[in-house]
Amino acid sequence: MLIKREYYCLIAGLPDLFFDENKTPVTSSVFREELQHQLSPPDYKLVEYLFLPFDNLNLLNVFCEENQSHFYPGNISKSALEFQFSPENEEIQLPHYMIIFISWMKGMDKRHAGWEDENILTTLFYEHALDCPNPFLKNWFRFELNLKNIFTAFNCKKYNYEPETHLLEVEGDDLVYTLLIENKLKADYFEELLPYHEELFRIAESNIEWIEIEKAVDKIKWEYLDENTFFHFFTVEKILAFTIKLLLIERWMNLDKETGKELLNKLIDELKTSYEFPAEFSLTK
């Protein structure tokens, strides 16, 4: 049996985080750099999973030549990512799911990504994340994926769009997806499949402002993290949960109401278009 490494001093020294904070004691990027020195290599690899969504955004920016000035705090630096696509580099060395995405984009003769291409990259990411070796982190990503799909399904119903073109279908994790595709948007169907199912469906069915929905969902995420790390006293799971909480707080620090409205309008505009995820296009395990 594999014995987990325990980080007594590191975890004992972590500051308290509260959901409604508008500042953090340390940025997620600085904290990640510190963890690189403090954690064992296998445990630090788990932390890197949490920053891959930022790498995805940066990949789209660099590979698709979006020329956006902002570079997100992912695992891969801007210079390192740009080098991957330079003429001097003979072989792209990125996570496997990113290489699959790039190969597909090249095969489609694309250099500019639309929302449907972003969905493909996100789907590949979740297939990669759900194959991670840590049960806590694997369950977290499954929970996060299910939340994305549930609220997308309610948006599709609200605006009369086909859910098949917008939900993320991840290979090997299709029970929640199947129910949503069948338009079974009632909490009772998800009792055995989804933690906090009643609260989440109550939020999804409400008429409150979108920003309040976002905050309510993130509060449930926070509670999920507390509940699922309660008995992890000094192991990496406590550190992973702390990192996720830092990222949640930073998201709200950077998301003012006006910016949020723009993002919501963008989402609605995107829902007006159709796209079918290629059935044969999946991450090979």
Side-chain angles (χ1 to χ4, degrees):
M1 180 178 177
L2 182 65
I3 299 177
K4 288 189 174 184
R5 183 168 178 175
E6 295 185 321
Y7 301 94
Y8 297 103
C9 294
L10 175 60
I11 293 174
L14 291 177
D16 292 329
L17 293 179
F18 301 96
F19 178 74
D20 290 326
E21 285 184 307
N22 58 5
K23 62 180 180 179
T24 60
V26 62
T27 67
S28 57
S29 296
V30 170
F31 186 61
R32 182 190 58 198
E33 291 175 6
E34 180 64 25
L35 293 180
Q36 190 169 12
H37 301 292
Q38 298 265 5
L39 302 183
S40 69
D43 283 347
Y44 181 71
K45 284 290 183 185
L46 298 176
V47 173
E48 289 184 327
Y49 276 91
L50 299 176
F51 291 86
L52 283 173
F54 298 118
D55 289 320
N56 294 342
L57 294 172
N58 293 330
L59 171 65
L60 291 170
N61 184 20
V62 173
F63 174 73
C64 299
E65 300 174 349
E66 298 293 338
N67 297 319
Q68 297 180 14
S69 59
H70 186 69
F71 196 82
Y72 296 92
N75 299 297
I76 309 168
S77 69
K78 185 175 183 178
S79 59
L81 188 55
E82 289 174 340
F83 174 74
Q84 293 297 311
F85 304 106
S86 67
E88 295 81 14
N89 185 37
E90 297 181 355
E91 181 181 1
I92 294 177
Q93 296 178 330
L94 292 171
H96 184 55
Y97 76 92
M98 291 186 182
I99 295 175
I100 292 176
F101 173 75
I102 293 167
S103 297
W104 180 80
M105 290 285 284
K106 288 181 177 179
M108 298 293 289
D109 195 25
K110 291 188 176 187
R111 290 297 296 188
H112 296 283
W115 72 267
E116 66 275 13
D117 305 307
E118 293 183 32
N119 274 3
I120 288 176
L121 180 57
T122 302
T123 300
L124 287 170
F125 160 71
Y126 275 110
E127 289 188 358
H128 172 75
L130 291 176
D131 199 38
C132 81
N134 181 274
F136 163 78
L137 198 55
K138 182 183 296 187
N139 289 333
W140 163 255
F141 283 123
R142 181 177 293 109
F143 183 58
E144 189 179 54
L145 169 66
N146 288 336
L147 294 191
K148 286 179 182 293
N149 275 340
I150 284 170
F151 284 88
T152 298
F154 271 92
N155 279 331
C156 287
K157 180 180 179 181
K158 181 177 181 180
Y159 297 105
N160 196 29
Y161 302 126
E162 292 296 328
E164 290 90 344
T165 62
H166 301 287
L167 298 185
L168 301 177
E169 183 180 8
V170 173
E171 183 181 352
D173 199 74
D174 59 356
L175 293 177
V176 170
Y177 173 86
T178 299
L179 288 172
L180 295 174
I181 287 294
E182 295 173 353
N183 203 33
K184 294 181 178 178
L185 302 183
K186 297 294 181 184
D188 292 347
Y189 290 112
F190 298 83
E191 183 175 359
E192 302 297 324
L193 299 174
L194 185 69
Y196 305 97
H197 62 287
E198 291 183 350
E199 296 94 326
L200 288 166
F201 274 79
R202 190 158 50 244
I203 294 168
E205 293 167 349
S206 70
N207 292 318
I208 59 177
E209 286 190 22
W210 76 269
I211 199 164
E212 295 303 322
I213 290 177
E214 289 279 314
K215 186 157 285 190
V217 171
D218 278 359
K219 192 172 190 336
I220 288 177
K221 290 180 180 180
W222 196 282
E223 293 175 3
Y224 173 95
L225 294 169
D226 285 341
E227 180 179 339
N228 285 274
T229 56
F230 187 80
F231 293 107
H232 292 284
F233 299 108
F234 295 103
T235 58
V236 70
E237 287 79 8
K238 190 73 78 175
I239 296 166
L240 293 170
F242 184 90
T243 305
I244 296 169
K245 288 179 176 180
L246 273 181
L247 292 170
L248 288 176
I249 293 174
E250 286 181 345
R251 175 174 178 263
W252 283 101
M253 288 168 57
N254 295 326
L255 185 64
D256 60 41
K257 195 165 185 177
E258 195 59 38
T259 301
K261 284 182 179 179
E262 292 177 5
L263 292 175
L264 180 63
N265 290 333
K266 180 174 180 289
L267 171 63
I268 294 171
D269 288 340
E270 289 171 348
L271 285 171
K272 293 177 181 177
T273 61
S274 291
Y275 181 78
E276 184 175 355
F277 189 89
E280 72 279 3
F281 184 63
S282 180
L283 179 64
T284 302
K285 298 290 191 289

